Amino acid sequence: WMARHLPKLADPNDAMTTTSSKKKSKEHKKRSREWNRQLEETIIRILYALTRFLPRQDDPHDTLPRLVAKFADDSDKCERLVELLLRYDEKARMAEYKYYRYKEDDDDDDNDAPSLEALEAKLAGGGDMFHRLGSIAAFLCVHSKQCHQTILSKLHQQSSGLGLVTDAVKEFLSVLDDANQASTLRQYLEQL
């Protein structure tokens, strides 16, 4: 959602002069998609970092309430957050499904390794972004009643519910090593 509202950044793919060749056009489109995906993931990581590291108390600039107000004042941002959450949930599930399907064909007898490998496949396939988006949604739901209502409404429109957010946060907790981050996420779960 932020990628659409950011000023046009210098795209390294624009330096490539496109000819009428289909091959170059396909390569350009592929690089452009990859660049947009990386930009989207970077924005999600930055937003997650803001929700995590902005001062909670004694902030003369009121940065945390200002961040929440950006979402509370514009319901489109919360709706886009839910769309991304659902999309990355689907990507993570598909990556995990593909892993198990591949493992089924491979027919290995090692029982402990597949669960870790499955988790790795899920995280690489979109699970990491899903966890971060779920944490951002939980942050917004806890800090703003309006955001909570908008997110819940959009989830219901998509035949889902707040359980998706809590599942994302719980799953994130299961893979975290950072105690401070985990305690913040546990607080979100308690307040949801």
Side-chain angles (χ1 to χ4, degrees), residues 97-109:
Y97 172 76
K98 286 178 183 177
Y99 169 80
Y100 280 117
R101 189 162 180 206
Y102 170 76
K103 275 311 238 189
E104 192 176 279
D105 293 341
D106 198 23
D107 207 43
D108 250 302
D109 288 335

Side-chain angles (χ1 to χ4, degrees), residues 88 91-93 121-132 171:
Y88 278 99
K91 281 182 170 184
R93 288 175 191 269
K122 184 175 184 175
L123 291 173
D128 183 45
M129 292 296 110
F130 170 64
H131 295 152
R132 292 174 192 280
E171 198 172 295

